[in-house]
Amino acid sequence: MGEKFPEIEGGGSLILAWQVRNKRVLVVGGGEVAAGRILNLLNADANVLVISPRDGLNPEVAYRIEQKQVDYIDRVFEPTDLDDPNITMVLTAVDDPEASTQIWKLCKEKRIAANIADVPPECDFYFGSMHRDGPLQIMVSTNGNGPKLANIVRRRIAANLPPNIGDAIKKVGALRRKLRGVAPGIEEGPKRMQWMSKVCLAWSLEDLCDMEEQDMEKLLESYAPNVIPSLEQVRLGEEPGVWQFDGSFGWY
């Protein structure tokens, strides 16, 4: 067997994009950590329930409640709060270790995914340091070893990204949707994926960001012959690989 395969490196996490849109998520606590968790959940379009005494609310959490961006119960957590069958995730951010561990155990009994802030052994998942630019999300995780270091690494990565990369990604998404309209068949799936990959490799991020609606329509005409014209060729109406005389001469 001459093939070489990746070596297994244990100790990591399976990093996923967890879709919680319109799903019920319970946040226990109302302090600064809870505020960050709530913002992450609302950005993911979750249906958030906050349980915390009002005198323990962070100003940001109080604002979310006042604006009715979350549902709110003004008291400490009670075990019966987990009887709601719609709860799919629980996040705790309280300063009471015993109460947090009790919630963790209850979640395990009910098979509900939970994150107990600052207690890695009592977490089904971790929150990493997140960079967001429109549809682009980049998460850096240290698997609970160094949250502050994750933040430093995330900032360094973000500093090296083009400032318009979010717009470029939005336009690629629009092009993909248009392509499905041009070639909707299931059998076209592999070709669609390959063609889109070629576009992303052939065009620069700047080209993708500059791409307009009419450019997309012209570019899609190249799907059937399975070629990738440049943005300049698209705008000039040229075919890929075809030289066109521009009136200049290469000799003297």
Side-chain angles (χ1 to χ4, degrees), residues 29 45 55 104 111 117 123 151 154 196 220 225 247:
D45 301 321
D55 59 7
W104 162 255
R111 298 177 180 271
C123 293
N151 190 38
R154 185 263 304 167
M196 281 299 310
L220 288 170

Side-chain angles (χ1 to χ4, degrees), residues 197-216:
S197 294
K198 290 177 183 177
V199 171
C200 292
L201 290 171
W203 287 34
S204 68
L205 289 174
E206 289 73 20
D207 287 341
L208 293 170
C209 191
D210 288 342
M211 181 171 56
E212 302 294 343
E213 191 85 13
Q214 60 269 27
D215 298 328
M216 294 184 197

Side-chain angles (χ1 to χ4, degrees), residues 4-250:
K4 291 186 177 180
F5 300 102
E7 293 293 328
I8 296 173
E9 185 179 355
S13 298
L14 182 62
I15 297 181
L16 305 170
W18 198 332
Q19 298 297 318
V20 293
R21 179 179 288 109
N22 298 325
K23 293 182 180 178
R24 189 72 157 171
V25 180
L26 170 61
V27 176
V28 181
E32 182 178 353
V33 174
R37 300 287 197 257
I38 291 167
L39 178 60
N40 287 334
L41 290 168
L42 292 176
N43 284 338
D45 301 321
N47 181 344
V48 181
L49 169 64
V50 177
I51 296 180
S52 174
R54 187 168 292 277
D55 59 7
L57 294 181
N58 169 281
E60 181 178 341
V61 178
Y63 171 81
R64 305 288 177 204
I65 293 168
E66 179 185 342
Q67 296 297 311
K68 301 190 183 302
Q69 296 173 353
V70 301
D71 295 327
Y72 174 60
I73 299 177
D74 179 8
R75 59 168 170 75
V76 297
F77 170 85
E78 295 179 359
T80 53
D81 291 326
L82 295 182
D83 291 343
D84 182 352
N86 293 316
I87 292 176
T88 59
M89 180 187 295
V90 173
L91 313 178
T92 75
V94 296
D95 294 327
D96 186 337
E98 289 188 14
S100 295
T101 296
Q102 180 190 20
I103 296 172
W104 162 255
K105 291 178 178 178
L106 289 169
C107 288
K108 293 304 94 189
E109 291 176 7
K110 293 182 176 291
R111 298 177 180 271
I112 301 173
N115 174 280
I116 310 303
D118 206 29
V119 188
E122 296 183 352
C123 293
D124 290 310
F125 54 91
Y126 301 125
F127 283 88
S129 182
M130 184 71 68
H131 171 71
R132 178 80 184 270
D133 183 353
L136 175 66
Q137 290 180 267
I138 299 174
M139 189 186 88
V140 177
S141 172
T142 60
N143 288 297
N145 287 287
K148 182 61 178 179
L149 186 58
N151 190 38
I152 293 171
V153 173
R154 185 263 304 167
R155 290 202 304 269
R156 180 167 296 186
I157 292 172
N160 287 280
L161 292 173
N164 56 0
I165 192 170
D167 290 335
I169 293 171
K170 287 179 183 178
K171 292 185 177 182
V172 168
L175 181 62
R176 286 186 64 199
R177 290 188 291 273
K178 287 178 177 291
L179 178 57
R180 282 190 170 274
V182 170
I186 297 177
E187 69 284 355
E188 291 284 328
K191 182 182 176 182
R192 283 198 307 263
M193 292 176 63
Q194 291 173 4
W195 189 81
M196 281 299 310
S197 294
K198 290 177 183 177
V199 171
C200 292
L201 290 171
W203 287 34
S204 68
L205 289 174
E206 289 73 20
D207 287 341
L208 293 170
C209 191
D210 288 342
M211 181 171 56
E212 302 294 343
E213 191 85 13
Q214 60 269 27
D215 298 328
M216 294 184 197
E217 298 297 339
K218 292 295 296 181
L219 177 58
L220 288 170
E221 295 176 6
S222 301
Y223 171 75
N226 199 19
V227 294
I228 309 296
S230 67
L231 177 59
E232 183 180 10
Q233 288 173 321
V234 165
R235 290 180 173 174
L236 293 175
E238 297 178 4
E239 294 182 16
V242 177
W243 176 79
Q244 295 196 5
F245 179 61
D246 62 1
S248 62
F249 294 89

